Amino acid sequence: MQSGIEGPLSRVVTLLNPAMSISKLVEAGGQWKVERHDLASPFYCAVVEGTCKVEVTGRAPVTLVAGDFILIPDLHGFRMTSKVPPASKESGQPLEIGPGRVRLGPLDAPVELRALVGHCRFEAPASDLLVSLLPEMIHVSGHDRLMALVPVIHEETRADRPGRELILERLLEVLLIEALRSGPAVEMPPGLLRGLSDPKLAAALHRIHSEVGGEISVAGLAKHAGMSRSGFFEKFRKEVGRAPMEYVTDWRMAIAKTLLRQGGLTNTEIALRVGYGSASAFGMAFVRHEGISPGAFANKQER
């Protein structure tokens, strides 16, 4: 059995299928503010020099200093300001000063902040479900590997070289995994990382993710974890945030939706890959989970 958190975590990140949207170097000076409330994308920021404040919709402001990195898997709105925000309620317009370079604040003010900011997208058809397994925000300080990865992604985004999209996809996968495993998992809210921080639950999660097409039951998972059935059920629900078989079904459906969008397999073949004995059993489970049939879902993906 694979140890540590990399198995389930890497499978979730790979299935999310991240792709780059925007990467830019932000330079700022004086008093400045920028905010957006029309987003729906993963977001990261690495502060290279200086200090700023970031306020994500629904969360308290976070002060970032040089060497800090934040990752928000599902960003919908944010405000980013100088350490002392401007008194004006209006947001200043970012000024593009070069390819992938943006200036904030008065142009005559010295540059006090340099940060690498990126927006990407998850192309998985089950991205909402998969993102729900992850923390709302990761904030890491002094992580050299993360701070080294972000400039490489920025440079690759700017270049026009063969294989650029594939390289960026792999770099983003590495960035996401590195960020997600870098924080203290026991301090995370219930979810995949919190579950993986417990060795017994991690054993069960590895089995769920690696044997999705096999026979999985609460009793079997509890035995694999070396726990009683009731003790395992309660601990899994508390640490992961959903009941074991609910998690199993969610993971199976995430894989099924990806296979349906890719095409090339019959419903019977997909059913066997995700742990259902027949196309009809899979179809009924899919309708209960998604509200539409596998065929209707596949047709929607083709449009």
Side-chain angles (χ1 to χ4, degrees):
M1 183 188 69
Q2 197 172 2
S3 61
I5 68 174
E6 287 82 354
L9 186 56
S10 62
R11 288 186 178 96
V12 168
V13 169
T14 301
L15 200 61
L16 278 168
N17 194 14
M20 200 69 215
S21 296
I22 299 170
S23 175
K24 53 192 174 184
L25 171 64
V26 175
E27 299 177 340
Q31 292 185 314
W32 54 272
K33 175 175 67 173
V34 62
E35 55 186 320
R36 293 281 302 275
H37 299 284
D38 57 349
L39 300 169
S41 67
F43 165 86
Y44 65 82
C45 173
V47 178
V48 179
E49 175 186 337
T51 303
C52 66
K53 286 186 177 180
V54 174
E55 183 178 350
V56 178
T57 302
R59 298 181 67 97
V62 175
T63 298
L64 302 179
V65 300
D68 278 9
F69 174 91
I70 61 167
L71 168 68
I72 303 164
D74 188 24
L75 179 70
H76 289 274
F78 79 104
R79 178 184 294 117
M80 191 172 179
T81 73
S82 50
K83 191 174 181 180
V84 179
S88 170
K89 291 185 177 179
E90 295 198 8
S91 300
Q93 291 298 316
L95 176 65
E96 188 168 348
I97 57 176
R101 290 179 62 203
V102 171
R103 171 68 197 235
L104 298 172
L107 291 177
D108 57 354
V111 173
E112 299 167 319
L113 171 82
R114 286 186 174 88
L116 287 165
V117 173
H119 293 268
C120 58
R121 62 188 183 276
F122 294 142
E123 299 192 329
S127 60
D128 289 350
L129 187 155
L130 294 167
V131 166
S132 73
L133 302 176
L134 305 177
E136 291 182 357
M137 183 171 76
I138 298 283
H139 179 195
V140 182
S141 300
H143 196 292
D144 292 342
R145 284 162 62 92
L146 278 172
M147 297 302 291
L149 270 169
V150 177
V152 175
I153 293 173
H154 181 69
E155 189 270 337
E156 188 66 32
T157 304
R158 308 260 61 80
D160 184 16
R161 294 185 291 218
R164 172 178 171 273
E165 297 302 321
L166 180 61
I167 291 292
L168 279 172
E169 182 181 334
R170 295 295 175 263
L171 286 171
L172 283 171
E173 288 177 358
V174 173
L175 181 77
L176 290 169
I177 293 170
E178 192 68 44
L180 289 167
R181 71 182 186 178
S182 62
V186 291
E187 297 178 10
M188 299 287 181
L192 179 60
L193 294 184
R194 180 103 159 251
L196 288 170
S197 70
D198 182 290
K200 292 185 176 181
L201 294 184
L205 285 163
H206 276 287
R207 184 176 180 190
I208 292 169
H209 283 259
S210 63
E211 301 178 23
V212 66
E215 291 187 14
I216 301 177
S217 66
V218 175
L221 291 172
K223 183 178 180 181
H224 198 68
M227 301 175 66
S228 69
R229 186 185 186 282
S230 59
F232 169 77
F233 182 92
E234 290 303 324
K235 188 163 192 176
F236 192 102
R237 185 167 60 177
K238 177 184 176 183
E239 300 299 324
V240 181
R242 60 195 75 184
M245 293 311 296
E246 181 185 357
Y247 185 96
V248 171
T249 300
D250 286 346
W251 179 241
R252 284 172 165 171
M253 291 300 135
I255 293 176
K257 288 168 76 173
T258 299
L259 294 174
L260 285 165
R261 186 166 80 167
Q262 290 173 348
L265 295 176
T266 66
N267 280 359
T268 298
E269 290 170 323
I270 294 174
L272 295 175
R273 287 198 184 193
V274 297
Y276 294 92
S278 66
S280 60
F282 165 62
M284 288 188 289
F286 194 92
V287 169
R288 282 196 302 269
H289 196 272
E290 299 296 325
I292 60 174
S293 69
F297 177 84
N299 289 336
K300 283 176 62 178
Q301 303 304 304
E302 293 174 358
R303 292 173 190 167

